[in-house]
Amino acid sequence: MKKLSIMFTFLFLFVIGIFTVHPTTAQAANLNYTVSVDHPDNQVSSNISYFDLKVKPDDHQKLTIHIDNTDSTAHKYLISINRANTNSNGVIDYSKHGTKADSSLESDIEKMVPQPKTVTVPANTNQAESFELNVPKNEFKGIVLGGIQVKSLDSNKQPVNKKGVTLNNQYAYVIGLQLQESSASIKPNINLNYVKSKQINYQNYIVANLQNDQPTLINKIDANARITKQGGEIAVYKLAKPGLDMAPNSNFDLPVSTNNKPLKAGKYTLHLKLSTSTKTWNFTKNFTISSTKAKQMNKTAVGETKSNNNWLMLTLIGILILIIIALMFVIIKNKNKNKK
């Protein structure tokens, strides 16, 4: 009886250990620097904290920002001036340099400014950093939009923990840089370039590539999508996403989730409605998912892996229950023998 009790206790603790996860957390350090700008004479409005400049063809001017390192030690910062893009969440993104430009882009802000550089700012110092802006000779319409990103490279390293893992959280300030030669308004336009299946972070999606081919911002777009079998009316997948923004002359993949369901090969149709307060776009586009593509994506999708893990967990739980029942049967049998 004593041996059985010890074995039962050990088994219980072993199973608890299998199914228990101990998460660890890391606390980020506080920011220890700020960034500000010196507005030049051609600043459109002095009431804003970013550059909004009225420029002329073939203009050349110096722009200055200030990095204020409020820490007691010196730090390094990466300064990069990046073209405005649109990410898959429908948010304007200034964080990447050297990405592929949209085919509709005529005036690229990354070609008007220097390449990214690293600077060191001493402790408790407000340091000015300047760069040259060179406007193209050819006149451009609408706006050219980018961002000046100042990224801390070394100020947020956490100590090495007992397992030898170093956490390095990087932070960045972004200051907008908007150029315009004329205040004439530009009519917005959105194109649907293609529809296809795509895996994002090991999740299966149907993506619709949307393009803003005009040099103007498009804000607060409401997107409603239905994906049906070709010739059918019942929605296989749906999306309702309000408040999307698109950077000038940019494109992005709008993802429609498959909700962790395996992709099925076949012919489909996307029905997509995009609307702002002033304009609406309606798109209908057929596309095909091949059996090879569906198998490949289903094989690597996280949802499929989770499903297999669930079956494994259920199997282990079933085995555990059978072991407990067997132990209880042995214990009861031994008790009855002792009574006799």
Side-chain angles (χ1 to χ4, degrees), residues 132-164:
E132 193 78 16
L133 173 67
N134 299 300
V135 182
K137 293 180 180 179
N138 296 328
E139 183 179 1
F140 65 80
K141 296 179 181 179
I143 63 173
V144 174
L145 186 62
I148 306 166
Q149 179 179 251
V150 181
K151 181 187 291 185
S152 173
L153 296 181
D154 57 2
S155 62
N156 294 297
K157 286 184 179 179
Q158 302 291 333
V160 177
N161 65 19
K162 293 180 181 179
K163 294 182 180 179

Side-chain angles (χ1 to χ4, degrees), residues 50-109:
Y50 59 91
F51 290 113
D52 183 10
L53 308 179
K54 187 75 174 288
V55 296
K56 296 178 181 178
D58 205 26
D59 263 358
H60 305 276
Q61 69 179 112
K62 184 173 74 172
L63 299 178
T64 302
I65 65 171
H66 292 266
I67 304 173
D68 187 9
N69 177 13
T70 58
D71 200 10
S72 56
T73 58
H75 292 295
K76 291 182 179 180
Y77 304 92
L78 176 65
I79 303 174
S80 60
I81 301 164
N82 309 327
R83 182 191 324 111
N85 291 293
T86 307
N87 65 26
S88 60
N89 294 315
V91 176
I92 299 175
D93 185 7
Y94 305 91
S95 65
K96 297 177 182 177
H97 187 86
T99 58
K100 184 179 179 181
D102 186 77
S103 60
S104 67
L105 184 69
E106 296 180 0
S107 299
D108 188 350
I109 202 162

Side-chain angles (χ1 to χ4, degrees), residues 3 7 14 25 33-34 38 62 84 92 104 125 174 176 210 279 283 306 312 335:
K3 288 181 179 180
M7 186 169 64
F14 174 74
T25 59
Y33 73 103
T34 58
D38 285 346
K62 184 173 74 172
I92 299 175
S104 67
T125 299
V174 176
L210 304 178
K279 192 165 182 178
F283 301 101
K306 285 181 179 179
L312 177 61
K335 281 184 176 181

Side-chain angles (χ1 to χ4, degrees), residues 103-119:
S103 60
S104 67
L105 184 69
E106 296 180 0
S107 299
D108 188 350
I109 202 162
E110 291 187 8
K111 295 180 179 179
M112 305 180 196
V113 294
Q115 289 296 304
K117 68 175 183 178
T118 300
V119 300

Side-chain angles (χ1 to χ4, degrees), residues 4-18:
L4 285 172
S5 298
I6 293 171
M7 186 169 64
F8 178 77
T9 303
F10 174 78
L11 180 64
F12 178 76
L13 293 175
F14 174 74
V15 173
I16 290 297
I18 291 176

